[in-house]
Amino acid sequence: MSKLTPMLKQYFEIKEKYPEAILFFRMGDFYEMFFEDAVKVAPLLEITLTSRSKYHNQDIPMCGVPYHSVEPYIAKLIKAGLKVAVCDQIEDPRTAKGIVARKVTRVVTPGMVISPEIEDPKSPLYLAALTAKDKEQFGLAVLEVSTGDFILTEINGEQALISELSRLAPAETLISENAPGDLADLLKEMSLYHTVFEEAAFEYSRARSVLINHFGEYALAGFGVEDMPLGLTAAGAALLYAEENQEQNLEHVDRLRCYRLQEYMVLDEIARRNLELFTNLRDNSRPGSLVSLIDLTVTAMGSRKLREWISYPLRNRTQIAERHESVEMLALDGLRRSDLREILNGVYDLERLTGRISLNRANPRDLITLKESLRRLPQIKSLLLELNEGQLRDFGWKLDELTDIADLIEKALNDNPPLTLKDGGVIRPGYNPELDELISIMSDGKGWIARMEAEERDRTNISSLKVGFNKVFGYYIEVTRSNLDQVPDNYIRRQTLTNAERFITPELKEWESKVLSAEEKRVILEQKFFEELRQDLMAYVSRLRETADLIAEIDALASLAEAAIKYDYVRPELLDEDRIEIVDGRHPVIERSLPQGAFVPNDIILDNESNQILIITGPNMAGKSTILRQVALIVLLNQIGSFVPANQAMLGIVDRIFTRIGASDDLTRGRSTFMIEMNETAQILNQATSKSLVILDEIGRGTSTFDGLSIAWAVVEFMHELEGHGVRTLFATHYHELVELAKTRSRVKNYNVSVKQWRDEIIFLRKLIPGGTSHSYGLAVARLAGLPSEILDRAAEILENLEREEIDLSGLPRPVRSNSGRNQDIDQLSLFTKLEEGLADEIQRLDPDTMTPLEALQKLAELKKMIQ
Ligand code: ADP
Ligand code: MG
């Protein structure tokens, strides 16, 4: 058996501590991976698997990546669901005795990514921790390691937990070793990556002491998180995990904020998807989503802030009005708005730069970028202070210009430093006398060579004498063969070439060692000063974070103002009562996809009195879904503080938007659809309040006609009766039979999206008008779609037969007497059915061909009496 080399011994000792991670072991200019790690990652990274000396008589599999471009490789492994432990040399190999000391300096996991190469600047990357009590109570904490954002909450019920997790979509979620099994299952089902973390971290007292250690006892008390013990426990676990993996205290995590879900409009995952807030339904990409339309921010911070606003629409009227006010101010002042946006445009991602400072990973360029961004703050401040009273002006007062930090960086660093510290050139001349002297020795070098060369030529009379440099001999004097007899005595021979010989002199060597050591000393000094600067900057982290947050908010507001003008939106009027009234509303995304002016605007009124449930009928392609979604989007835009696509909007505050889309409209899911649809509908019934808005689009479509119709019918009834007061609902359906409901349900109203039929053609008017439709125009739509006329003719025949049949059946779904216990409804319904049967019989008996106009009129009056 071969002996363990010291290097392998060190490797094993370190690897043992990180069994789950791929160990990146720094050796010279490479990070090397060995054994199973190498075998596993070589194909993933598309690098060659080689082998090194033997261990147990076997070749050691190995592969490596250059240290200076390691980040993209790490990114690939993280995306593949692996963790990476980065092990660095922590002493200078030149001065090390024996084997170089090494240590893992960071562990990169999906939630702990802080490299600009990996992060998407527009979306946050969350590390979450989850605790549970009695399967009903949950604590959730979320940390954004690169920016330092740290929030916690407590959640009641699994549904709410799922909805919050899907809203946050954490990159990694920590659960305790002894967490109930269904928690892990739930995360798996939601395709969320989870990590099982030590049980002790999830103990309340331990977690609390981790937090106190980090923030201090008073600060923690000041965060007002003590009444959320489950959330607090989760927060402690998350922080501990982050600290352990970064091997350091996270300075920039300087505050912990608790939030309550009740403060925000609830949007479950289904609503977010159906409303296409962040991705479209077609291919789940960003184009065509609401965010892609209204995100006109110019900074990465602003973009993340706006995203957060869309995820968490407000419910507090004062806060909404405050944002409206700011948006209006900037919307009306085009000049200032464009000035402001132009200045903001040069502000880099302060949050993430600050994060890098605090994680000690900022490079010289990062700090220059930071300085240049900070230099723009005074302009932003004075611009805001010119505005009238209001939130923006307050931001102006609050905005810290951070000139001291910019000055500090400017004093220390060159304006255009190299990316790394290894060749010097980072620290500005004049910063330190010792450094200046070294630099002048180095730059004097050239002059000195020229002077020495000239002097020696004079002295020796050899006009071709040259001073040169190579790596092996350092500086030398070169004399061609023909002049060798003139070489003075003090020259010492070093190297013989074909045509010349090379010499040194003691003077030359003395000078050489001065220059070379100056070079080395310079790099060491520069590293030291840079490190000091970074340390000094850590003291400013919380001021930087506060400023970054203000900038994010200002940018997001300016973006909403820009959108309001660019897309011609209007400021909504906020109402206290539960009423939604929109005049000439538009669908923000669809209107932009059509030629200017082609979109037909529509009005809508919804309240909890006579306009609570609107049944919207109309043929396929009429524009039903569009109206439903546009109402939901207008409500949502209002509550993020935005203006809305309408001519006028009077809006009460909505606590929750539900959307359910019938199976065949739900393109993205391959799952058994009808079940899901019913399941999702049931959830609404359990959670809706009189402040909610429900959007039901073609519910019941995933099954046979009569089943579907009956279900749709029953759902409408239920929405109407919910908790005795009902819930505001927009119900689009092609079951025109549903219009009958308006006769028996006082808060139901019929609308249809009008179309005109002209000969065989159908013309879509896109206008929502009161009243139901009696006709589905299916054949006309099919003709429009290009179905051959033989098929259409035959279909028309069949339809006619069916329709006759349908009249015999009275055209209504026959209610089945069941034990539902709601006899009153059924009686009303059957009464109505009998009545209509009578009418139908009466009409059947008529023979219009033999009637005089007068007889016809009399008959009509009789029929009318029957239904009064
Ligand atoms: P439905 O749900 O009734 O089948 P959609 O709402 O899906 O119809 O609309 C079908 C298409 O009609 C949309 O993709 C859009 O191109 C167009 N459309 C819908 N509403 C309007 C409108 N108000 N103005 C102009 N075009 C519209
Ligand atoms: Mg539709």
Side-chain angles (χ1 to χ4, degrees), residues 55-264:
Y55 173 60
H56 286 227
N57 282 330
Q58 301 259 312
D59 284 341
I60 303 174
M62 153 180 147
C63 61
V65 297
Y67 85 98
H68 53 82
S69 58
V70 65
E71 298 302 337
Y73 291 106
I74 296 182
K76 257 194 189 167
L77 296 182
I78 300 300
K79 288 219 178 82
L82 297 171
K83 297 177 184 178
V84 174
V86 181
C87 175
D88 283 304
Q89 298 170 337
I90 50 166
E91 63 180 341
D92 192 332
R94 283 169 299 191
T95 56
K97 292 194 195 75
I99 193 140
V100 190
R102 291 188 174 84
K103 193 178 143 202
V104 169
T105 51
R106 62 189 164 122
V107 179
V108 189
T109 70
M112 294 291 302
V113 170
I114 47 157
S115 311
E117 294 86 348
I118 308 181
E119 300 157 312
D120 166 11
K122 294 200 159 169
S123 45
L125 199 145
Y126 290 130
L127 169 72
L130 186 57
T131 54
K133 194 177 127 199
D134 308 333
K135 295 190 173 186
E136 268 308 302
Q137 293 266 71
F138 303 94
L140 179 67
V142 173
L143 173 61
E144 223 280 359
V145 182
S146 68
T147 64
D149 257 349
F150 197 14
I151 53 179
L152 68 82
T153 190
E154 287 190 356
I155 298 170
N156 271 326
E158 195 176 272
Q159 272 315 322
L161 175 68
I162 291 176
S163 133
E164 189 55 11
L165 280 173
S166 75
R167 164 146 69 180
L168 294 162
E172 179 176 6
T173 304
L174 307 174
I175 52 175
S176 154
E177 270 162 354
N178 70 348
D182 33 4
L183 220 48
D185 289 343
L186 184 140
L187 292 166
K188 260 188 227 142
E189 213 166 285
M190 295 182 69
S191 320
L192 290 174
Y193 181 98
H194 75 273
T195 297
V196 176
F197 192 42
E198 59 199 67
E199 190 189 319
F202 286 88
E203 274 160 23
Y204 174 76
S205 57
R206 172 82 201 284
R208 195 159 176 278
S209 74
V210 168
L211 294 171
I212 286 177
N213 230 333
H214 182 86
F215 294 110
E217 184 144 17
Y218 290 112
L220 189 67
F223 298 143
V225 294
E226 300 277 2
D227 59 338
M228 290 196 179
L230 281 176
L232 191 140
T233 308
L239 187 64
L240 185 67
Y241 182 80
E243 282 174 351
E244 282 185 358
N245 283 339
Q246 284 297 325
E247 294 278 326
Q248 57 183 310
N249 192 14
L250 309 160
E251 288 292 334
H252 65 309
V253 181
D254 60 353
R255 130 181 89 139
L256 178 58
R257 189 169 59 83
C258 71
Y259 68 105
R260 277 161 232 276
L261 290 174
Q262 304 88 285
E263 291 164 22
Y264 303 100

Side-chain angles (χ1 to χ4, degrees), residues 7-8 11-12 15 22-27 31-41 49 52 60-63:
M7 204 279 298
L8 266 186
Y11 176 85
F12 283 131
K15 174 72 194 174
I22 303 293
L23 188 64
F24 275 45
F25 195 73
R26 177 75 181 265
M27 295 178 72
Y31 282 108
E32 306 284 5
M33 287 133 271
F34 300 107
F35 300 103
E36 302 90 60
D37 281 1
V39 176
K40 196 172 192 177
V41 304
L49 188 66
R52 202 183 155 86
I60 303 174
M62 153 180 147
C63 61

Side-chain angles (χ1 to χ4, degrees), residues 195-344:
T195 297
V196 176
F197 192 42
E198 59 199 67
E199 190 189 319
F202 286 88
E203 274 160 23
Y204 174 76
S205 57
R206 172 82 201 284
R208 195 159 176 278
S209 74
V210 168
L211 294 171
I212 286 177
N213 230 333
H214 182 86
F215 294 110
E217 184 144 17
Y218 290 112
L220 189 67
F223 298 143
V225 294
E226 300 277 2
D227 59 338
M228 290 196 179
L230 281 176
L232 191 140
T233 308
L239 187 64
L240 185 67
Y241 182 80
E243 282 174 351
E244 282 185 358
N245 283 339
Q246 284 297 325
E247 294 278 326
Q248 57 183 310
N249 192 14
L250 309 160
E251 288 292 334
H252 65 309
V253 181
D254 60 353
R255 130 181 89 139
L256 178 58
R257 189 169 59 83
C258 71
Y259 68 105
R260 277 161 232 276
L261 290 174
Q262 304 88 285
E263 291 164 22
Y264 303 100
M265 176 197 276
V266 180
L267 283 166
D268 55 22
E269 198 234 356
I270 308 166
R272 259 199 321 272
R273 266 173 8 96
N274 284 337
L275 296 176
E276 306 187 291
L277 298 187
F278 298 107
T279 53
N280 66 42
L281 279 173
R282 206 170 3 91
D283 61 4
N284 282 324
S285 66
R286 191 175 144 102
S289 63
L290 182 71
V291 72
S292 75
L293 181 81
I294 66 162
D295 181 1
L296 303 174
T297 57
V298 291
T299 70
M301 300 162 276
S303 183
R304 288 195 298 269
K305 179 63 83 181
L306 190 62
R307 228 189 126 84
E308 182 192 315
W309 285 0
I310 300 174
S311 283
Y312 293 88
L314 299 168
R315 278 172 59 182
N316 178 303
R317 194 186 149 151
T318 320
Q319 288 172 343
I320 298 172
E322 216 170 32
R323 282 194 199 157
H324 283 161
E325 188 65 37
S326 302
V327 172
E328 179 159 58
M329 207 177 266
L330 289 173
L332 293 178
D333 192 340
L335 224 60
R336 280 223 178 75
R337 185 176 73 252
S338 74
D339 281 353
L340 179 63
R341 283 161 48 83
E342 201 173 309
I343 305 168
L344 285 170

Side-chain angles (χ1 to χ4, degrees), residues 590 594 598-602 619-626 766:
I590 294 183
L594 299 176
F599 192 90
V600 179
N602 271 306
N620 267 327
M621 290 299 289
K624 303 182 295 297
S625 301
T626 306
R766 314 274 184 224

